[in-house]
Amino acid sequence: MTGKVCVNVLVDVPGVGSRVYSYYLPPGTTPAKGLKVSVPFGPRRATGFILEECPEPEGIAVKDVSAVFDPRYLPPADLVEFAEEVARYYAVPVASVWGCLWPPAVPSARGNWWRHEGPGRHDRQESVDEELMREPMIQEEVAGRRTCALSKPVIVRGTESFRFQVYLEHIQSEISRGRGVLFLLPEVRAVRKIRDKLEPLFGDAIAEVHSGITDKQRREEWLSLLRGEKRLVLGTRLGVFAPVRNLSLIIVDLEEDDSYKAEDHPRYDARTVAVMRGDFQGARVIMGASRLSVNARFALASGSYTLLRDEGPRYPAEVQLIEARKYRRKGKILSWKMADALKECFERKGRAFIFLNQRGYGRALFCGDCGHVPTCSRCSVALSFHSASKSMVCHVCGYSCPVPETCPKCGGYSLRPRGFGTERLEEEFSRLFPEVPAFRLDADTARLEDPETTVEKFLSARPACLIGTQMALGVLTQRLELVAVPFADSRLGLPGFKVEEEAFLTLSQLWDLLDEETGVFVLQAFDPSRRSIRWVAERNEDLFYEEEMEDRKCLGYPPFGVLARIEVVAKSERKVREHALRLAERLAAEAPTSPGNNDVSGEGKVTVLGPAPSLREKVRGAYHWHILLKGPDRSKVTALASRAEEIFRERGSGAKIILDVDPVRLV
C-alpha cells in the first residue's frame, strides 16, 4: 500500500474509447467524478477525467497524476451525469463530452490544495432547487414547475420580432423567480444582436459563451455561472453545456440552422442536446424558427412538439421563375430577363440583393488547350480564381498561390476562369448598370470591412445593389424591393439527403427579405421543377414538406431512420482504401438483420452502405473514405458504429476513423 489514492481515469485520446486507466492521486486527495487531470500516457501527457476511486490493480505499475486542473471549474454532478447520457446517444467516448463541460485553457491547481480541501462540489454546487425544497411552503411550487417543464417542447414559428416577444416574456418570468435560462443562437453575430436587446433589462445577469470571446473571458463567465452570479446564458452551440444553476428554460432560436451541429469531435447537435438537457434537468424547451426544418415538421406531425405561430406566412408581391436554358446569356451570370427585372427595380429607386453563394471570380481556372484544372496539392479540390489578388485559393485548407502565366501541364496560354463567383458577378453587374452603386459582401470583403458597415452603406443608397453570399443573410434585416438568385438549383446536384431542404431553407430566408407590397422574387434555374424551387412559384410550402418527407420515408432517411457516418482517414491512398474495405466487410458481417425475408418493416435491420471515397477525397494531405450506416433503430445503429472503433483498435492500424451520428451532410 502506498497511501496514495488510486482512481480510474478516462483519457481524452482519439482511438482509446471509454477504457479506464488507473493512476495515483496525492495522499489526502478527495476524488471527484469529472475532475480534469493531466496524466502520463505512453510517451506523452494526455488530458483525462476522474471516473471513480478504485482498488490498486495488481501487477501493474501505476503512475502518478501529473497535474490536477483548477477544481473551481468542476462541473455540477448532474451535468456530469447528463454528459454520460449524451456520450451514449452519439456513441462517443465519455471523456470527449466531459471536455465540453470545462472552459478552454483552465490552469492547473496551485499548491497542495488537495491536502487541505477536496473539490467542494457539494457545498458550492448544490442546486437552488435543493435549497428551495428545504422550505415547505415552496415545495409545491418547485414540484409544479418540474411537472410543467416535462411537457412537450414548443416551436415558435414566425417573424424575428414575434419570436423575440415570446422569448422575452418567458425569460422575464424565469429570471424574476431566480431561475436560470439558456438561450442558444446559431452564430456569434446573432448572440451580440440579442444581447443588445436584453442587456437593458437583465444587465449583469447575462453571460456569453461562444468562440467570439477570449479564453479568459470564457473562464470568467463559466465561474460566474458555477457560483450562481449570472443566470442568463447567451451562446452558440458551445453554450449548450454551460453550467446554469437552477436551469428552468432553454431557448434555441432558428432551429432550422445546421450551424448547431458540431463539425469537430464530439459531433453533437446542440438542438438535440438542448431537448435532452431540458428533459434531464426538468427545464422547458422553446425552439424558434422562421421556417421549419423537416425534423421539426415531423415532430409536430407526430405530436412530440407543440406549435405557436404568428399570423401566417408572408408572400412577396411577385415571383418570376426563369428557365436558364432558354434565357441565359452565354458566358454570363445574369439572364436578360433577370437583368430586365433589375432595371425595373432601379428605375423605381429600389434596392436589390443578388444572391450567389460562391466567392471569388470563378470556381477554377481551365486550360482551353489540354483541359487541365489547377488543384490544391493537399486537397482534392480545384483552386478558386480570385481576380483582384490575381491568385488561386483553396477554400478548404487556405493554400494560395499566384496565377501562373502558362498552363502547368501543357505550357499553353489558354488558362481561363470557369464557373462564377461574386467577384465576377460584381464586374458583370457594373458593366450592365454603371450608374447603380454596387456593394459586395462575402468572406473576402469581410476581411477588409465589417459586414454591418457594408450593409449600412447599401441601405443608405437608392437605387443600390448588394451582391453577396450566405454571409449577407445574417446581416440583412430591412425589407427590399427585389431579390435575385441566378443559380437557384446550383447545389441540388450534390450528394446528400438534405440538399433539397437546404435549398428550400435558403430560398425561404431570401423570400423573407422581400417587401410584401412591392417585393419581387426572381429565380433562375436549369431545373425549375425541383420541389425546393417549385413551392416558391406555387406559394405552397406544404407541397415541399409533403414530397420531401415521402421521399425520406421511402429511403429510410431521417427523421424516419437513423444515420451514422464513419470516415476513414489515412496519409496513404492505398491504406485508406484497404482499411475502409475491410471495415465495411466486418460491419456488414456483424450488422443486425431483419428476422426474415418477408419482413417488410425492416425493424432491427442496419444497412451498411459503401465504402466509397468522400466527395473531397483528399483534405490537407490526408485521404478520406466513408461508410454509411442506416437503420430504424437508434440503439442498433449506434452500437454498430461503436464496433467500428473497437475493430480499429484491434487492428492497430495507421489509419484513424471519425464517427458522426446524425450527420447533416454526407459529403
Side-chain angles (χ1 to χ4, degrees):
M1 297 294 291
T2 63
K4 299 179 180 179
V5 178
C6 190
V7 292
N8 283 331
V9 172
L10 296 172
V11 293
D12 191 7
V13 174
V16 171
S18 292
R19 287 187 294 176
V20 297
Y21 297 86
S22 297
Y23 291 91
Y24 285 132
L25 287 173
T29 302
T30 303
K33 187 175 182 179
L35 184 62
K36 190 174 182 178
V37 294
S38 176
V39 297
F41 193 78
R44 55 178 178 161
R45 287 189 181 185
T47 298
F49 300 90
I50 294 175
L51 180 62
E52 61 195 353
E53 187 174 349
C54 66
E56 296 184 25
E58 297 181 1
I60 297 177
V62 179
K63 297 181 180 180
D64 291 333
V65 165
S66 302
V68 178
F69 289 90
D70 192 336
R72 293 180 301 162
Y73 298 93
L74 179 66
D78 60 344
L79 206 52
V80 171
E81 184 182 349
F82 169 66
E84 293 179 276
E85 185 173 303
V86 173
R88 287 191 292 270
Y89 187 90
Y90 286 106
V92 296
V94 173
S96 66
V97 185
W98 278 357
C100 299
L101 305 183
W102 291 70
V106 172
S108 300
R110 295 181 179 179
N112 296 333
W113 62 269
W114 54 78
R115 299 182 187 278
H116 310 292
E117 52 177 293
R121 170 182 280 154
H122 177 77
D123 296 332
R124 176 171 55 83
Q125 299 186 27
E126 183 177 31
S127 73
V128 176
D129 271 3
E130 291 169 345
E131 296 169 5
L132 288 172
M133 290 301 284
R134 294 197 187 108
E135 301 293 332
M137 294 179 63
I138 305 179
Q139 289 181 11
E140 184 176 346
E141 179 189 344
V142 175
R145 179 175 67 81
R146 285 178 170 162
T147 301
C148 177
L150 295 176
S151 61
K152 300 174 185 178
V154 176
I155 293 183
V156 179
R157 160 76 188 276
T159 63
E160 181 179 338
S161 59
F162 172 75
R163 299 196 310 272
F164 179 75
Q165 189 57 43
V166 174
Y167 301 156
L168 182 59
E169 290 173 4
H170 285 82
I171 292 171
Q172 288 175 322
S173 174
E174 301 304 324
I175 295 296
S176 66
R177 291 170 171 80
R179 299 166 184 167
V181 176
L182 179 57
F183 192 158
L184 301 181
L185 298 114
E187 59 176 13
V188 174
R189 187 178 290 109
V191 172
R192 290 170 175 163
K193 183 178 177 182
I194 288 294
R195 173 151 196 160
D196 290 342
K197 293 182 178 181
L198 295 179
E199 194 160 28
L201 297 171
F202 303 107
D204 294 338
I206 299 175
E208 288 188 45
V209 179
H210 53 75
S211 60
I213 59 177
T214 65
D215 289 352
K216 181 180 179 181
Q217 289 172 321
R218 286 262 300 277
R219 292 195 300 272
E220 290 173 350
E221 297 284 51
W222 216 260
L223 275 181
S224 68
L225 290 167
L226 286 167
R227 293 167 178 158
E229 297 166 355
K230 296 186 177 183
R231 297 190 176 278
L232 172 54
V233 172
L234 303 180
T236 55
R237 65 170 180 259
L238 298 173
V240 73
F241 293 105
V244 186
R245 294 187 66 169
N246 194 24
L247 180 65
S248 63
L249 175 64
I250 302 175
I251 298 170
V252 182
D253 192 33
L254 294 174
E255 66 81 27
E256 68 267 36
D257 195 317
D258 281 337
S259 300
Y260 285 114
K261 173 70 175 181
E263 297 179 353
D264 300 320
H265 189 71
R267 286 172 166 76
Y268 64 89
D269 192 313
R271 295 166 292 193
T272 302
V273 174
V275 175
M276 293 173 64
R277 186 171 179 183
D279 183 62
F280 188 87
Q281 294 190 302
R284 299 183 63 194
V285 177
I286 298 177
M287 313 283 279
S290 60
R291 281 294 194 283
L292 299 176
S293 66
V294 171
N295 284 347
R297 178 84 171 208
F298 176 80
L300 287 170
S302 63
S304 54
Y305 285 17
T306 57
L307 178 66
L308 175 65
R309 66 179 301 165
D310 59 5
E311 70 282 356
R314 298 170 54 257
Y315 298 104
E318 181 182 349
V319 174
Q320 296 182 19
L321 195 55
I322 302 170
E323 188 172 346
R325 289 185 182 89
K326 293 182 179 179
Y327 300 104
R328 186 179 167 201
R329 297 181 301 156
K330 187 176 180 180
K332 304 297 182 182
I333 300 173
L334 302 174
S335 67
W336 64 264
K337 288 194 70 173
M338 186 169 281
D340 283 347
L342 288 164
K343 182 181 178 181
E344 291 177 11
C345 174
F346 299 142
E347 287 175 348
R348 300 192 307 267
K349 303 297 181 183
R351 300 189 188 96
F353 172 48
I354 308 178
F355 176 78
L356 181 59
N357 205 28
Q358 173 67 43
R359 61 190 170 107
Y361 190 86
R363 291 185 181 273
L365 291 175
F366 173 81
C367 179
D369 295 332
C370 69
H372 175 67
V373 176
T375 58
C376 177
S377 60
R378 301 179 66 229
C379 308
S380 56
V381 296
L383 294 169
S384 293
F385 172 56
H386 289 247
S387 175
S389 60
K390 294 182 173 55
S391 64
M392 300 186 297
V393 180
C394 175
H395 289 170
V396 176
C397 71
Y399 166 79
S400 66
C401 64
V403 174
E405 294 183 1
T406 60
C407 173
K409 184 176 182 179
C410 71
Y413 291 87
S414 299
L415 280 176
R416 298 289 184 271
R418 186 177 67 173
F420 305 100
T422 51
E423 191 178 339
R424 183 170 180 177
L425 175 55
E426 182 182 25
E427 180 182 289
E428 181 180 322
F429 177 88
S430 296
R431 288 174 181 168
L432 281 173
F433 304 101
E435 74 287 354
V436 178
F439 305 88
R440 179 159 59 94
L441 179 52
D442 54 29
D444 297 324
T445 62
R447 285 194 286 266
L448 304 175
E449 182 177 70
D450 186 73
E452 281 82 1
T453 302
T454 303
V455 170
E456 286 175 8
K457 290 179 179 178
F458 162 63
L459 294 176
S460 64
R462 277 189 179 277
C465 182
L466 178 68
I467 296 167
T469 61
Q470 193 85 22
M471 176 179 289
L473 295 179
V475 188
L476 274 172
T477 55
Q478 190 166 323
R479 302 300 175 197
L480 306 174
E481 285 76 25
L482 185 142
V483 171
V485 187
F487 300 106
D489 54 352
S490 62
R491 297 186 62 82
L492 294 179
L494 293 175
F497 70 99
K498 292 192 68 174
V499 290
E500 289 277 3
E501 181 182 3
E502 289 169 355
F504 163 74
L505 292 172
T506 298
L507 293 179
S508 297
Q509 286 181 280
L510 294 165
W511 173 294
D512 289 339
L513 290 175
L514 288 161
D515 185 274
E516 292 180 77
E517 296 181 0
T518 62
V520 179
F521 201 15
V522 187
L523 301 182
Q524 182 174 290
F526 285 95
D527 186 4
S529 65
R530 298 295 290 260
R531 72 175 69 102
S532 54
I533 299 172
R534 202 169 72 250
W535 76 271
V536 176
E538 300 186 20
R539 301 173 186 241
N540 182 5
E541 66 176 27
D542 290 339
L543 175 152
F544 168 78
Y545 288 117
E546 290 167 5
E547 292 187 10
E548 181 72 7
M549 287 200 283
E550 183 61 31
D551 276 3
R552 292 199 195 181
K553 184 177 182 180
C554 291
L555 296 171
Y557 283 122
F560 301 95
V562 179
L563 293 180
R565 182 172 181 250
I566 302 167
E567 195 167 9
V568 183
V569 184
K571 293 291 185 181
S572 163
E573 186 176 8
R574 177 188 58 81
K575 180 176 288 187
V576 75
R577 184 191 307 110
E578 290 176 356
H579 282 294
L581 287 168
R582 291 174 184 172
L583 178 59
E585 289 173 0
R586 286 283 300 274
L587 292 174
E590 298 184 22
T593 57
S594 299
N597 294 331
N598 295 326
D599 177 26
V600 294
S601 70
E603 183 178 355
K605 182 178 180 180
V606 178
T607 303
V608 180
L609 302 174
S614 299
L615 184 64
R616 292 174 176 170
E617 185 177 358
K618 189 179 181 183
V619 178
R620 295 180 175 87
Y623 292 89
H624 295 244
W625 279 49
H626 62 174
I627 301 164
L628 193 66
L629 308 181
K630 181 174 69 171
D633 188 316
R634 173 171 292 276
S635 62
K636 289 182 171 59
V637 172
T638 54
L640 189 61
S642 297
R643 277 291 295 146
E645 288 198 318
E646 295 172 11
I647 292 168
F648 251 63
R649 287 200 299 269
E650 292 169 5
R651 293 182 56 83
S653 67
K656 68 174 183 177
I657 63 171
I658 301 170
L659 178 61
D660 187 1
V661 173
D662 295 343
V664 297
R665 293 180 181 85
L666 303 182
V667 295

